[in-house]
Amino acid sequence: RCTDSEEVILNRLKNARDEIEAVSEYDFTIINDTVNEAAEEFTIVAKAARLKYSKETEEKFIVHWLD
């Protein structure tokens, strides 16, 4: 970018390290190497998240259909 101060760059690198260390805490990981590919992956994750049931909702659904 050639416009950021050294402090800003160091802060970004620290944040990147923190995010990499926490990667196992997330259900999905999108690596933003290519904007179009990352956007497509995000869309896929968003669609999957909409289809995911919580345990409580899933149990209510099963009980409803078994009755």
Side-chain angles (χ1 to χ4, degrees):
R1 295 178 188 175
C2 298
T3 58
D4 295 328
S5 68
E6 184 175 349
E7 181 182 353
V8 169
I9 293 169
L10 291 173
N11 190 45
R12 284 192 180 143
L13 290 171
K14 181 199 172 300
N15 289 340
R17 265 189 229 98
D18 292 345
E19 290 173 3
I20 290 168
E21 288 175 4
V23 74
S24 65
E25 297 176 26
Y26 299 97
D27 293 331
F28 302 96
T29 302
I30 298 173
I31 298 172
N32 191 7
D33 286 340
T34 307
V35 173
N36 289 341
E37 187 175 325
E40 184 178 331
E41 290 173 354
F42 177 79
T43 301
I44 292 167
V45 168
K47 287 179 181 179
R50 273 191 258 135
L51 296 173
K52 187 175 179 180
Y53 280 102
S54 70
K55 274 293 184 199
E56 182 180 331
T57 303
E58 189 176 276
E59 288 171 4
K60 286 179 182 177
F61 176 81
I62 291 170
V63 168
H64 170 76
W65 284 102
L66 291 178
D67 285 343

Short mmCIF file of all heavy atoms in Angstrom, two decimals:
data_model
loop_
_atom_site.label_atom_id
_atom_site.label_comp_id
_atom_site.label_asym_id
_atom_site.label_seq_id
_atom_site.Cartn_x
_atom_site.Cartn_y
_atom_site.Cartn_z
N ARG A 1 0.83 -1.20 0.00
CA ARG A 1 0.00 0.00 0.00
C ARG A 1 0.87 1.25 0.00
O ARG A 1 0.45 2.28 -0.44
CB ARG A 1 -0.94 -0.01 1.19
CG ARG A 1 -1.93 -1.14 1.11
CD ARG A 1 -2.82 -1.17 2.31
NE ARG A 1 -3.63 -2.38 2.26
CZ ARG A 1 -4.42 -2.76 3.20
NH1 ARG A 1 -4.55 -2.06 4.28
NH2 ARG A 1 -5.12 -3.87 3.08
N CYS A 2 2.00 1.12 0.59
CA CYS A 2 2.98 2.22 0.62
C CYS A 2 2.46 3.50 1.26
O CYS A 2 3.01 4.56 1.03
CB CYS A 2 3.50 2.51 -0.79
SG CYS A 2 4.36 1.12 -1.52
N THR A 3 1.39 3.41 2.02
CA THR A 3 0.87 4.61 2.68
C THR A 3 0.76 4.42 4.19
O THR A 3 0.51 5.38 4.90
CB THR A 3 -0.53 4.98 2.14
OG1 THR A 3 -1.41 3.88 2.34
CG2 THR A 3 -0.47 5.33 0.65
N ASP A 4 0.96 3.20 4.66
CA ASP A 4 0.80 2.91 6.08
C ASP A 4 2.10 3.11 6.84
O ASP A 4 3.19 2.80 6.34
CB ASP A 4 0.32 1.47 6.28
CG ASP A 4 -1.06 1.23 5.70
OD1 ASP A 4 -1.86 2.17 5.70
OD2 ASP A 4 -1.33 0.11 5.24
N SER A 5 1.95 3.59 8.05
CA SER A 5 3.13 3.77 8.90
C SER A 5 3.63 2.40 9.37
O SER A 5 2.91 1.39 9.30
CB SER A 5 2.78 4.63 10.11
OG SER A 5 1.90 3.91 10.98
N GLU A 6 4.84 2.37 9.87
CA GLU A 6 5.40 1.13 10.39
C GLU A 6 4.55 0.60 11.54
O GLU A 6 4.33 -0.61 11.67
CB GLU A 6 6.84 1.33 10.85
CG GLU A 6 7.50 0.05 11.31
CD GLU A 6 8.97 0.23 11.65
OE1 GLU A 6 9.54 1.27 11.35
OE2 GLU A 6 9.52 -0.72 12.25
N GLU A 7 4.03 1.49 12.37
CA GLU A 7 3.18 1.10 13.49
C GLU A 7 1.91 0.38 13.00
O GLU A 7 1.52 -0.64 13.55
CB GLU A 7 2.80 2.33 14.30
CG GLU A 7 1.92 2.02 15.50
CD GLU A 7 1.50 3.27 16.27
OE1 GLU A 7 1.99 4.37 15.97
OE2 GLU A 7 0.66 3.12 17.17
N VAL A 8 1.30 0.91 11.96
CA VAL A 8 0.09 0.30 11.39
C VAL A 8 0.41 -1.08 10.84
O VAL A 8 -0.32 -2.05 11.05
CB VAL A 8 -0.53 1.21 10.31
CG1 VAL A 8 -1.61 0.48 9.53
CG2 VAL A 8 -1.09 2.47 10.95
N ILE A 9 1.52 -1.20 10.13
CA ILE A 9 1.93 -2.48 9.55
C ILE A 9 2.21 -3.50 10.65
O ILE A 9 1.75 -4.65 10.56
CB ILE A 9 3.15 -2.29 8.64
CG1 ILE A 9 2.76 -1.46 7.42
CG2 ILE A 9 3.73 -3.65 8.22
CD1 ILE A 9 3.93 -1.00 6.57
N LEU A 10 2.92 -3.10 11.69
CA LEU A 10 3.22 -4.01 12.80
C LEU A 10 1.94 -4.46 13.49
O LEU A 10 1.80 -5.63 13.89
CB LEU A 10 4.17 -3.36 13.80
CG LEU A 10 5.60 -3.14 13.29
CD1 LEU A 10 6.41 -2.33 14.29
CD2 LEU A 10 6.27 -4.46 12.97
N ASN A 11 0.98 -3.56 13.64
CA ASN A 11 -0.30 -3.91 14.25
C ASN A 11 -1.05 -4.92 13.39
O ASN A 11 -1.65 -5.87 13.91
CB ASN A 11 -1.15 -2.65 14.47
CG ASN A 11 -2.36 -2.94 15.33
OD1 ASN A 11 -2.26 -3.62 16.35
ND2 ASN A 11 -3.50 -2.43 14.90
N ARG A 12 -1.04 -4.74 12.07
CA ARG A 12 -1.69 -5.70 11.17
C ARG A 12 -1.03 -7.07 11.27
O ARG A 12 -1.71 -8.10 11.26
CB ARG A 12 -1.62 -5.21 9.73
CG ARG A 12 -2.59 -4.12 9.43
CD ARG A 12 -2.68 -3.90 7.95
NE ARG A 12 -3.63 -2.84 7.69
CZ ARG A 12 -3.50 -1.94 6.75
NH1 ARG A 12 -2.46 -1.98 5.94
NH2 ARG A 12 -4.41 -1.02 6.58
N LEU A 13 0.29 -7.10 11.33
CA LEU A 13 1.00 -8.38 11.45
C LEU A 13 0.67 -9.07 12.77
O LEU A 13 0.49 -10.29 12.80
CB LEU A 13 2.51 -8.17 11.32
CG LEU A 13 2.99 -7.78 9.92
CD1 LEU A 13 4.47 -7.38 9.96
CD2 LEU A 13 2.76 -8.91 8.95
N LYS A 14 0.57 -8.30 13.85
CA LYS A 14 0.18 -8.88 15.14
C LYS A 14 -1.22 -9.46 15.07
O LYS A 14 -1.47 -10.58 15.53
CB LYS A 14 0.24 -7.83 16.25
CG LYS A 14 -0.11 -8.39 17.62
CD LYS A 14 -0.50 -7.27 18.58
CE LYS A 14 -1.05 -7.81 19.87
NZ LYS A 14 -2.24 -8.65 19.72
N ASN A 15 -2.14 -8.70 14.47
CA ASN A 15 -3.52 -9.19 14.33
C ASN A 15 -3.56 -10.46 13.48
O ASN A 15 -4.31 -11.39 13.79
CB ASN A 15 -4.42 -8.12 13.71
CG ASN A 15 -4.70 -6.98 14.66
OD1 ASN A 15 -4.55 -7.11 15.87
ND2 ASN A 15 -5.09 -5.85 14.11
N ALA A 16 -2.78 -10.50 12.42
CA ALA A 16 -2.73 -11.69 11.56
C ALA A 16 -2.22 -12.90 12.35
O ALA A 16 -2.78 -13.99 12.25
CB ALA A 16 -1.85 -11.44 10.35
N ARG A 17 -1.19 -12.71 13.15
CA ARG A 17 -0.67 -13.80 13.98
C ARG A 17 -1.74 -14.30 14.95
O ARG A 17 -1.93 -15.50 15.12
CB ARG A 17 0.56 -13.34 14.77
CG ARG A 17 1.85 -13.66 14.10
CD ARG A 17 3.05 -13.38 15.03
NE ARG A 17 4.01 -12.60 14.26
CZ ARG A 17 4.15 -11.27 14.31
NH1 ARG A 17 3.43 -10.55 15.14
NH2 ARG A 17 5.02 -10.66 13.55
N ASP A 18 -2.44 -13.36 15.58
CA ASP A 18 -3.50 -13.73 16.53
C ASP A 18 -4.59 -14.53 15.83
O ASP A 18 -5.10 -15.53 16.36
CB ASP A 18 -4.11 -12.49 17.18
CG ASP A 18 -3.14 -11.77 18.11
OD1 ASP A 18 -2.10 -12.37 18.48
OD2 ASP A 18 -3.41 -10.61 18.47
N GLU A 19 -4.97 -14.10 14.63
CA GLU A 19 -6.02 -14.80 13.87
C GLU A 19 -5.57 -16.19 13.46
O GLU A 19 -6.35 -17.15 13.54
CB GLU A 19 -6.41 -13.98 12.64
CG GLU A 19 -7.17 -12.72 12.99
CD GLU A 19 -7.41 -11.82 11.80
OE1 GLU A 19 -7.04 -12.19 10.66
OE2 GLU A 19 -7.98 -10.73 12.00
N ILE A 20 -4.32 -16.33 13.04
CA ILE A 20 -3.80 -17.64 12.65
C ILE A 20 -3.76 -18.58 13.85
O ILE A 20 -4.12 -19.76 13.74
CB ILE A 20 -2.42 -17.49 11.99
CG1 ILE A 20 -2.58 -16.82 10.62
CG2 ILE A 20 -1.73 -18.85 11.85
CD1 ILE A 20 -1.28 -16.37 9.99
N GLU A 21 -3.35 -18.07 14.99
CA GLU A 21 -3.30 -18.91 16.20
C GLU A 21 -4.69 -19.38 16.63
O GLU A 21 -4.84 -20.44 17.23
CB GLU A 21 -2.63 -18.14 17.34
CG GLU A 21 -1.13 -17.98 17.15
CD GLU A 21 -0.48 -17.12 18.22
OE1 GLU A 21 -1.18 -16.70 19.18
OE2 GLU A 21 0.73 -16.85 18.09
N ALA A 22 -5.73 -18.60 16.32
CA ALA A 22 -7.09 -18.92 16.75
C ALA A 22 -7.88 -19.69 15.69
O ALA A 22 -9.06 -19.94 15.87
CB ALA A 22 -7.83 -17.64 17.11
N VAL A 23 -7.24 -20.10 14.60
CA VAL A 23 -7.95 -20.69 13.48
C VAL A 23 -8.77 -21.92 13.88
O VAL A 23 -9.86 -22.15 13.35
CB VAL A 23 -7.00 -21.01 12.30
CG1 VAL A 23 -6.13 -22.21 12.59
CG2 VAL A 23 -7.76 -21.19 11.02
N SER A 24 -8.32 -22.67 14.85
CA SER A 24 -9.04 -23.88 15.27
C SER A 24 -10.34 -23.57 16.01
O SER A 24 -11.17 -24.45 16.20
CB SER A 24 -8.15 -24.76 16.14
OG SER A 24 -7.85 -24.10 17.35
N GLU A 25 -10.54 -22.32 16.40
CA GLU A 25 -11.74 -21.92 17.12
C GLU A 25 -12.93 -21.66 16.18
O GLU A 25 -14.05 -21.46 16.64
CB GLU A 25 -11.48 -20.66 17.94
CG GLU A 25 -10.43 -20.86 19.02
CD GLU A 25 -10.11 -19.57 19.74
OE1 GLU A 25 -10.98 -18.67 19.80
OE2 GLU A 25 -8.99 -19.46 20.26
N TYR A 26 -12.69 -21.66 14.89
CA TYR A 26 -13.73 -21.31 13.92
C TYR A 26 -14.22 -22.53 13.17
O TYR A 26 -13.49 -23.49 12.97
CB TYR A 26 -13.21 -20.26 12.93
CG TYR A 26 -12.80 -18.98 13.62
CD1 TYR A 26 -11.47 -18.74 13.95
CD2 TYR A 26 -13.75 -18.04 13.98
CE1 TYR A 26 -11.09 -17.58 14.60
CE2 TYR A 26 -13.38 -16.87 14.63
CZ TYR A 26 -12.04 -16.65 14.94
OH TYR A 26 -11.68 -15.51 15.58
N ASP A 27 -15.46 -22.49 12.72
CA ASP A 27 -16.03 -23.58 11.94
C ASP A 27 -15.56 -23.53 10.49
O ASP A 27 -15.48 -24.55 9.82
CB ASP A 27 -17.56 -23.52 11.96
CG ASP A 27 -18.12 -23.81 13.34
OD1 ASP A 27 -17.48 -24.57 14.09
OD2 ASP A 27 -19.20 -23.28 13.66
N PHE A 28 -15.27 -22.34 9.99
CA PHE A 28 -14.87 -22.16 8.60
C PHE A 28 -13.66 -21.24 8.54
O PHE A 28 -13.53 -20.34 9.36
CB PHE A 28 -16.00 -21.52 7.78
CG PHE A 28 -17.28 -22.31 7.80
CD1 PHE A 28 -18.29 -22.01 8.70
CD2 PHE A 28 -17.47 -23.36 6.92
CE1 PHE A 28 -19.47 -22.73 8.73
CE2 PHE A 28 -18.65 -24.10 6.94
CZ PHE A 28 -19.65 -23.78 7.84
N THR A 29 -12.83 -21.45 7.54
CA THR A 29 -11.68 -20.58 7.32
C THR A 29 -11.67 -20.14 5.86
O THR A 29 -11.71 -20.98 4.96
CB THR A 29 -10.36 -21.32 7.64
OG1 THR A 29 -10.40 -21.77 8.98
CG2 THR A 29 -9.17 -20.40 7.46
N ILE A 30 -11.63 -18.85 5.65
CA ILE A 30 -11.53 -18.30 4.30
C ILE A 30 -10.22 -17.53 4.23
O ILE A 30 -9.99 -16.60 5.01
CB ILE A 30 -12.71 -17.36 3.98
CG1 ILE A 30 -14.02 -18.15 4.04
CG2 ILE A 30 -12.51 -16.69 2.63
CD1 ILE A 30 -15.26 -17.29 3.91
N ILE A 31 -9.37 -17.93 3.29
CA ILE A 31 -8.10 -17.24 3.09
C ILE A 31 -8.28 -16.29 1.91
O ILE A 31 -8.62 -16.71 0.80
CB ILE A 31 -6.97 -18.24 2.85
CG1 ILE A 31 -6.83 -19.11 4.10
CG2 ILE A 31 -5.67 -17.50 2.52
CD1 ILE A 31 -5.88 -20.26 3.98
N ASN A 32 -8.06 -15.02 2.16
CA ASN A 32 -8.34 -13.99 1.17
C ASN A 32 -7.15 -13.75 0.25
O ASN A 32 -6.54 -12.70 0.25
CB ASN A 32 -8.75 -12.70 1.89
CG ASN A 32 -9.32 -11.67 0.95
OD1 ASN A 32 -9.53 -11.94 -0.22
ND2 ASN A 32 -9.55 -10.48 1.47
N ASP A 33 -6.81 -14.77 -0.56
CA ASP A 33 -5.75 -14.60 -1.56
C ASP A 33 -6.29 -13.91 -2.81
O ASP A 33 -5.62 -13.08 -3.40
CB ASP A 33 -5.16 -15.96 -1.97
CG ASP A 33 -4.27 -16.55 -0.89
OD1 ASP A 33 -3.80 -15.79 -0.03
OD2 ASP A 33 -4.06 -17.77 -0.91
N THR A 34 -7.49 -14.29 -3.20
CA THR A 34 -8.13 -13.72 -4.37
C THR A 34 -9.50 -13.24 -3.95
O THR A 34 -10.29 -14.02 -3.41
CB THR A 34 -8.28 -14.80 -5.48
OG1 THR A 34 -7.02 -15.40 -5.71
CG2 THR A 34 -8.82 -14.21 -6.75
N VAL A 35 -9.80 -11.98 -4.20
CA VAL A 35 -11.05 -11.39 -3.72
C VAL A 35 -12.26 -12.17 -4.24
O VAL A 35 -13.16 -12.49 -3.46
CB VAL A 35 -11.14 -9.90 -4.12
CG1 VAL A 35 -12.51 -9.34 -3.78
CG2 VAL A 35 -10.06 -9.11 -3.41
N ASN A 36 -12.29 -12.48 -5.52
CA ASN A 36 -13.46 -13.18 -6.08
C ASN A 36 -13.63 -14.56 -5.45
O ASN A 36 -14.76 -14.97 -5.15
CB ASN A 36 -13.34 -13.30 -7.59
CG ASN A 36 -13.50 -11.97 -8.28
OD1 ASN A 36 -14.05 -11.02 -7.72
ND2 ASN A 36 -13.04 -11.88 -9.51
N GLU A 37 -12.54 -15.27 -5.26
CA GLU A 37 -12.63 -16.61 -4.66
C GLU A 37 -13.07 -16.51 -3.20
O GLU A 37 -13.92 -17.28 -2.75
CB GLU A 37 -11.29 -17.32 -4.76
CG GLU A 37 -11.34 -18.76 -4.32
CD GLU A 37 -10.02 -19.48 -4.54
OE1 GLU A 37 -9.33 -19.18 -5.52
OE2 GLU A 37 -9.70 -20.35 -3.71
N ALA A 38 -12.52 -15.56 -2.47
CA ALA A 38 -12.91 -15.38 -1.06
C ALA A 38 -14.39 -15.00 -0.96
O ALA A 38 -15.09 -15.49 -0.08
CB ALA A 38 -12.04 -14.32 -0.40
N ALA A 39 -14.86 -14.16 -1.85
CA ALA A 39 -16.28 -13.77 -1.84
C ALA A 39 -17.17 -14.97 -2.13
O ALA A 39 -18.21 -15.14 -1.49
CB ALA A 39 -16.52 -12.66 -2.87
N GLU A 40 -16.75 -15.81 -3.07
CA GLU A 40 -17.52 -17.01 -3.39
C GLU A 40 -17.55 -17.96 -2.19
O GLU A 40 -18.61 -18.51 -1.84
CB GLU A 40 -16.91 -17.71 -4.60
CG GLU A 40 -17.69 -18.91 -5.07
CD GLU A 40 -17.07 -19.54 -6.32
OE1 GLU A 40 -16.43 -18.83 -7.11
OE2 GLU A 40 -17.23 -20.77 -6.47
N GLU A 41 -16.41 -18.14 -1.54
CA GLU A 41 -16.35 -19.01 -0.36
C GLU A 41 -17.22 -18.45 0.76
O GLU A 41 -17.91 -19.20 1.46
CB GLU A 41 -14.91 -19.17 0.10
CG GLU A 41 -14.07 -19.99 -0.85
CD GLU A 41 -12.60 -20.02 -0.48
OE1 GLU A 41 -12.19 -19.32 0.47
OE2 GLU A 41 -11.85 -20.76 -1.15
N PHE A 42 -17.21 -17.14 0.94
CA PHE A 42 -18.05 -16.53 1.97
C PHE A 42 -19.52 -16.79 1.70
O PHE A 42 -20.29 -17.09 2.61
CB PHE A 42 -17.78 -15.02 2.06
CG PHE A 42 -18.67 -14.34 3.06
CD1 PHE A 42 -18.38 -14.42 4.42
CD2 PHE A 42 -19.81 -13.67 2.66
CE1 PHE A 42 -19.21 -13.81 5.35
CE2 PHE A 42 -20.65 -13.07 3.58
CZ PHE A 42 -20.34 -13.13 4.93
N THR A 43 -19.92 -16.67 0.43
CA THR A 43 -21.31 -16.94 0.06
C THR A 43 -21.69 -18.37 0.40
O THR A 43 -22.78 -18.64 0.92
CB THR A 43 -21.52 -16.67 -1.44
OG1 THR A 43 -21.19 -15.30 -1.70
CG2 THR A 43 -22.95 -16.94 -1.86
N ILE A 44 -20.80 -19.30 0.13
CA ILE A 44 -21.05 -20.72 0.43
C ILE A 44 -21.20 -20.91 1.94
O ILE A 44 -22.12 -21.60 2.40
CB ILE A 44 -19.92 -21.60 -0.13
CG1 ILE A 44 -19.97 -21.59 -1.66
CG2 ILE A 44 -19.99 -23.02 0.42
CD1 ILE A 44 -18.74 -22.16 -2.34
N VAL A 45 -20.33 -20.29 2.72
CA VAL A 45 -20.39 -20.41 4.19
C VAL A 45 -21.70 -19.81 4.70
O VAL A 45 -22.35 -20.38 5.57
CB VAL A 45 -19.17 -19.72 4.84
CG1 VAL A 45 -19.36 -19.58 6.34
CG2 VAL A 45 -17.90 -20.50 4.53
N ALA A 46 -22.08 -18.66 4.16
CA ALA A 46 -23.33 -18.02 4.61
C ALA A 46 -24.53 -18.91 4.32
O ALA A 46 -25.42 -19.05 5.17
CB ALA A 46 -23.49 -16.66 3.92
N LYS A 47 -24.55 -19.54 3.15
CA LYS A 47 -25.65 -20.45 2.81
C LYS A 47 -25.66 -21.65 3.75
O LYS A 47 -26.72 -22.08 4.21
CB LYS A 47 -25.54 -20.90 1.36
CG LYS A 47 -25.90 -19.82 0.38
CD LYS A 47 -25.75 -20.30 -1.05
CE LYS A 47 -26.08 -19.19 -2.03
NZ LYS A 47 -25.92 -19.62 -3.43
N ALA A 48 -24.49 -22.20 4.04
CA ALA A 48 -24.40 -23.34 4.94
C ALA A 48 -24.88 -22.96 6.35
O ALA A 48 -25.57 -23.74 7.00
CB ALA A 48 -22.97 -23.87 5.00
N ALA A 49 -24.52 -21.76 6.80
CA ALA A 49 -24.92 -21.32 8.14
C ALA A 49 -26.43 -21.20 8.24
O ALA A 49 -27.01 -21.50 9.29
CB ALA A 49 -24.25 -19.98 8.46
N ARG A 50 -27.09 -20.78 7.15
CA ARG A 50 -28.54 -20.67 7.18
C ARG A 50 -29.21 -22.04 7.27
O ARG A 50 -30.31 -22.15 7.78
CB ARG A 50 -29.04 -19.96 5.92
CG ARG A 50 -29.05 -18.47 6.09
CD ARG A 50 -29.79 -17.80 4.95
NE ARG A 50 -28.77 -17.26 4.05
CZ ARG A 50 -28.79 -17.36 2.73
NH1 ARG A 50 -29.77 -17.94 2.12
NH2 ARG A 50 -27.83 -16.84 2.01
N LEU A 51 -28.53 -23.07 6.80
CA LEU A 51 -29.11 -24.42 6.81
C LEU A 51 -28.83 -25.17 8.11
O LEU A 51 -29.42 -26.21 8.35
CB LEU A 51 -28.55 -25.23 5.63
CG LEU A 51 -28.91 -24.71 4.25
CD1 LEU A 51 -28.16 -25.49 3.19
CD2 LEU A 51 -30.41 -24.81 4.02
N LYS A 52 -27.94 -24.65 8.92
CA LYS A 52 -27.53 -25.33 10.14
C LYS A 52 -28.58 -25.12 11.24
O LYS A 52 -29.00 -24.00 11.50
CB LYS A 52 -26.19 -24.79 10.60
CG LYS A 52 -25.59 -25.53 11.75
CD LYS A 52 -24.22 -24.98 12.05
CE LYS A 52 -23.61 -25.71 13.21
NZ LYS A 52 -22.29 -25.20 13.54
N TYR A 53 -29.01 -26.21 11.83
CA TYR A 53 -29.96 -26.14 12.94
C TYR A 53 -29.21 -26.12 14.26
O TYR A 53 -28.18 -26.75 14.41
CB TYR A 53 -30.85 -27.40 12.96
CG TYR A 53 -31.99 -27.38 12.00
CD1 TYR A 53 -31.93 -28.10 10.82
CD2 TYR A 53 -33.15 -26.68 12.29
CE1 TYR A 53 -32.99 -28.11 9.93
CE2 TYR A 53 -34.22 -26.67 11.42
CZ TYR A 53 -34.14 -27.39 10.24
OH TYR A 53 -35.19 -27.40 9.38
N SER A 54 -29.78 -25.44 15.23
CA SER A 54 -29.26 -25.57 16.58
C SER A 54 -29.74 -26.91 17.12
O SER A 54 -30.70 -27.49 16.61
CB SER A 54 -29.77 -24.44 17.47
OG SER A 54 -31.16 -24.61 17.71
N LYS A 55 -29.10 -27.43 18.14
CA LYS A 55 -29.51 -28.72 18.73
C LYS A 55 -30.95 -28.65 19.21
O LYS A 55 -31.72 -29.59 19.02
CB LYS A 55 -28.59 -29.09 19.89
CG LYS A 55 -27.36 -29.81 19.46
CD LYS A 55 -27.74 -31.15 18.91
CE LYS A 55 -26.56 -31.97 18.54
NZ LYS A 55 -26.89 -33.04 17.62
N GLU A 56 -31.33 -27.54 19.83
CA GLU A 56 -32.69 -27.40 20.34
C GLU A 56 -33.71 -27.44 19.19
O GLU A 56 -34.72 -28.15 19.26
CB GLU A 56 -32.83 -26.09 21.11
CG GLU A 56 -34.20 -25.89 21.71
CD GLU A 56 -34.30 -24.56 22.46
OE1 GLU A 56 -33.28 -24.09 22.98
OE2 GLU A 56 -35.42 -24.02 22.51
N THR A 57 -33.44 -26.71 18.13
CA THR A 57 -34.34 -26.69 16.99
C THR A 57 -34.41 -28.07 16.34
O THR A 57 -35.49 -28.53 15.96
CB THR A 57 -33.86 -25.66 15.95
OG1 THR A 57 -33.77 -24.38 16.59
CG2 THR A 57 -34.80 -25.57 14.76
N GLU A 58 -33.28 -28.72 16.23
CA GLU A 58 -33.23 -30.05 15.64
C GLU A 58 -34.07 -31.05 16.45
O GLU A 58 -34.83 -31.83 15.88
CB GLU A 58 -31.77 -30.50 15.58
CG GLU A 58 -31.52 -31.76 14.80
CD GLU A 58 -30.04 -32.05 14.74
OE1 GLU A 58 -29.36 -31.48 13.87
OE2 GLU A 58 -29.57 -32.84 15.57
N GLU A 59 -33.94 -31.00 17.77
CA GLU A 59 -34.70 -31.92 18.62
C GLU A 59 -36.20 -31.65 18.51
O GLU A 59 -37.01 -32.59 18.44
CB GLU A 59 -34.23 -31.79 20.07
CG GLU A 59 -32.86 -32.40 20.29
CD GLU A 59 -32.29 -32.09 21.67
OE1 GLU A 59 -32.98 -31.47 22.50
OE2 GLU A 59 -31.12 -32.49 21.90
N LYS A 60 -36.61 -30.38 18.49
CA LYS A 60 -38.02 -30.04 18.33
C LYS A 60 -38.54 -30.55 16.99
O LYS A 60 -39.66 -31.05 16.91
CB LYS A 60 -38.23 -28.53 18.43
CG LYS A 60 -38.11 -27.98 19.83
CD LYS A 60 -38.30 -26.49 19.84
CE LYS A 60 -38.14 -25.91 21.23
NZ LYS A 60 -38.26 -24.45 21.25
N PHE A 61 -37.75 -30.42 15.94
CA PHE A 61 -38.13 -30.87 14.62
C PHE A 61 -38.35 -32.38 14.62
O PHE A 61 -39.36 -32.88 14.13
CB PHE A 61 -37.04 -30.49 13.61
CG PHE A 61 -37.30 -30.99 12.22
CD1 PHE A 61 -38.15 -30.31 11.37
CD2 PHE A 61 -36.66 -32.12 11.77
CE1 PHE A 61 -38.39 -30.77 10.09
CE2 PHE A 61 -36.88 -32.60 10.48
CZ PHE A 61 -37.75 -31.91 9.63
N ILE A 62 -37.43 -33.11 15.22
CA ILE A 62 -37.52 -34.58 15.26
C ILE A 62 -38.74 -35.00 16.06
O ILE A 62 -39.51 -35.85 15.63
CB ILE A 62 -36.22 -35.18 15.84
CG1 ILE A 62 -35.08 -34.97 14.83
CG2 ILE A 62 -36.40 -36.67 16.15
CD1 ILE A 62 -33.71 -35.31 15.37
N VAL A 63 -38.93 -34.41 17.25
CA VAL A 63 -40.09 -34.77 18.09
C VAL A 63 -41.38 -34.47 17.36
O VAL A 63 -42.31 -35.28 17.38
CB VAL A 63 -40.02 -34.01 19.43
CG1 VAL A 63 -41.33 -34.11 20.19
CG2 VAL A 63 -38.86 -34.53 20.28
N HIS A 64 -41.45 -33.34 16.68
CA HIS A 64 -42.66 -32.98 15.93
C HIS A 64 -42.99 -34.04 14.88
O HIS A 64 -44.14 -34.44 14.73
CB HIS A 64 -42.49 -31.61 15.28
CG HIS A 64 -43.58 -31.26 14.31
ND1 HIS A 64 -44.83 -30.87 14.75
CD2 HIS A 64 -43.62 -31.27 12.96
CE1 HIS A 64 -45.60 -30.65 13.68
NE2 HIS A 64 -44.88 -30.89 12.59
N TRP A 65 -42.01 -34.51 14.15
CA TRP A 65 -42.25 -35.45 13.07
C TRP A 65 -42.44 -36.87 13.56
O TRP A 65 -43.03 -37.70 12.86
CB TRP A 65 -41.14 -35.38 12.01
CG TRP A 65 -41.34 -34.15 11.19
CD1 TRP A 65 -40.67 -32.97 11.28
CD2 TRP A 65 -42.32 -33.96 10.16
NE1 TRP A 65 -41.17 -32.07 10.38
CE2 TRP A 65 -42.19 -32.65 9.68
CE3 TRP A 65 -43.31 -34.77 9.62
CZ2 TRP A 65 -42.99 -32.14 8.68
CZ3 TRP A 65 -44.10 -34.25 8.60
CH2 TRP A 65 -43.94 -32.95 8.14
N LEU A 66 -41.98 -37.16 14.77
CA LEU A 66 -42.19 -38.51 15.31
C LEU A 66 -43.56 -38.66 15.96
O LEU A 66 -44.06 -39.77 16.10
CB LEU A 66 -41.10 -38.86 16.33
CG LEU A 66 -39.71 -39.05 15.74
CD1 LEU A 66 -38.71 -39.32 16.87
CD2 LEU A 66 -39.68 -40.17 14.71
N ASP A 67 -44.17 -37.54 16.35
CA ASP A 67 -45.50 -37.60 16.99
C ASP A 67 -46.60 -37.85 16.00
O ASP A 67 -46.68 -37.62 14.91
CB ASP A 67 -45.79 -36.30 17.74
CG ASP A 67 -45.00 -36.26 19.03
OD1 ASP A 67 -44.52 -37.30 19.49
OD2 ASP A 67 -44.85 -35.13 19.57
#
